[in-house]
Amino acid sequence: MAPHHAWGDARSERVPLGHLSSVTAGPSGSLLDHLHDGPDGVPVIAPPDLTEHFTVDARRVRRLPLNQAERLARFALHEGDLVVVRQGTLGRLALISSEHTGWLYSSSCLRIRPHRELVLPAYLAAYLTHPPVRRELLGRALPGTVPSLNSAMLNQLPVTLVPMERQQAVIEALADIDEQVRIHREMAARLEAIRPSVFDELTNRRPNQ
């Protein structure tokens, strides 16, 4: 049961992630033996499909035959879920959008399903990708040839929780920054693209032109 929160004040609280969400490990690898690269079936998100921008790159996603995917309905993704890498690129995550509803996720991932009456999915995604939090998360990983996380570790991870209106303000502020970053990246890409043609024009121009 989640602790009582004084949502009317602006104070933050440290609350275990397990009180704010349900964390579910992906199906075992043996249940995903028939993954294929064809166009038919249910897509299964794996670590390489998660981008550094917290989205899913579906270009190389593999699929599971429909009759097998139906048996794994408890692992189906909903809009607002978070998929987190638990083996490999630890801590990388994606915030699931409506277009990925009904997709599955691999055994190398964990699903975090936020309790939306307590925490907004986008706020939780921003929190878990905040560098100090990510370092703390990685510090909790089980050592080994391939370090890994599990659902118990995530459940115990403390989350700095603020009232809903401040969560929304955080989301909006970060979205504004992300938009400015996108604009500047596009501008830099355009300048990089025209650089060779400017060089050619200036070096091939005849005198007095």
Side-chain angles (χ1 to χ4, degrees), residues 24-175:
T24 307
S28 66
S30 62
L31 298 175
L32 301 172
D33 280 345
H34 294 88
L35 284 171
H36 61 83
D37 297 317
D40 300 321
V42 176
V44 180
I45 297 172
D49 304 317
L50 305 186
T51 76
E52 61 182 13
H53 303 299
F54 322 134
T55 58
V56 176
D57 182 350
R59 290 176 297 178
R60 292 183 295 276
V61 71
R62 304 182 74 195
R63 297 171 183 266
L64 195 66
L66 186 59
N67 63 332
Q68 296 185 25
E70 288 173 345
R71 304 172 191 169
L72 302 177
R74 66 186 182 279
F75 299 105
L77 294 168
H78 298 169
E79 181 180 4
D81 286 347
L82 279 64
V83 173
V84 181
V85 175
R86 73 178 190 90
Q87 289 180 326
T89 313
L90 293 182
R92 178 169 285 192
L93 64 78
L95 179 58
I96 298 302
S97 63
S98 58
E99 65 183 293
H100 305 124
T101 296
W103 290 23
L104 302 171
Y105 57 103
S106 77
S107 56
S108 297
C109 297
L110 294 157
R111 181 188 67 199
I112 301 174
R113 179 160 291 165
H115 301 325
R116 297 194 186 201
E117 71 277 11
L118 298 176
V119 64
L120 299 174
Y123 174 82
L124 189 55
Y127 180 82
L128 292 176
T129 54
H130 186 45
V133 177
R134 190 164 183 172
R135 286 193 294 270
E136 181 176 356
L137 188 62
L138 297 180
R140 292 170 177 256
L142 291 171
T145 305
V146 180
S148 62
L149 299 168
N150 58 38
S151 55
M153 294 171 185
L154 280 180
N155 280 325
Q156 295 166 8
L157 182 74
V159 175
T160 300
L161 194 66
V162 297
M164 281 289 185
E165 61 271 18
R166 189 184 290 187
Q167 291 183 37
Q168 187 61 46
V170 169
I171 293 168
E172 291 172 0
L174 294 180

Side-chain angles (χ1 to χ4, degrees), residues 53-54 170-188 190:
H53 303 299
F54 322 134
V170 169
I171 293 168
E172 291 172 0
L174 294 180
D176 287 343
I177 292 173
D178 289 342
E179 177 64 14
Q180 291 300 315
V181 169
R182 183 190 66 79
I183 291 171
H184 284 286
R185 281 178 175 161
E186 289 183 354
M187 183 180 298
R190 287 196 296 269

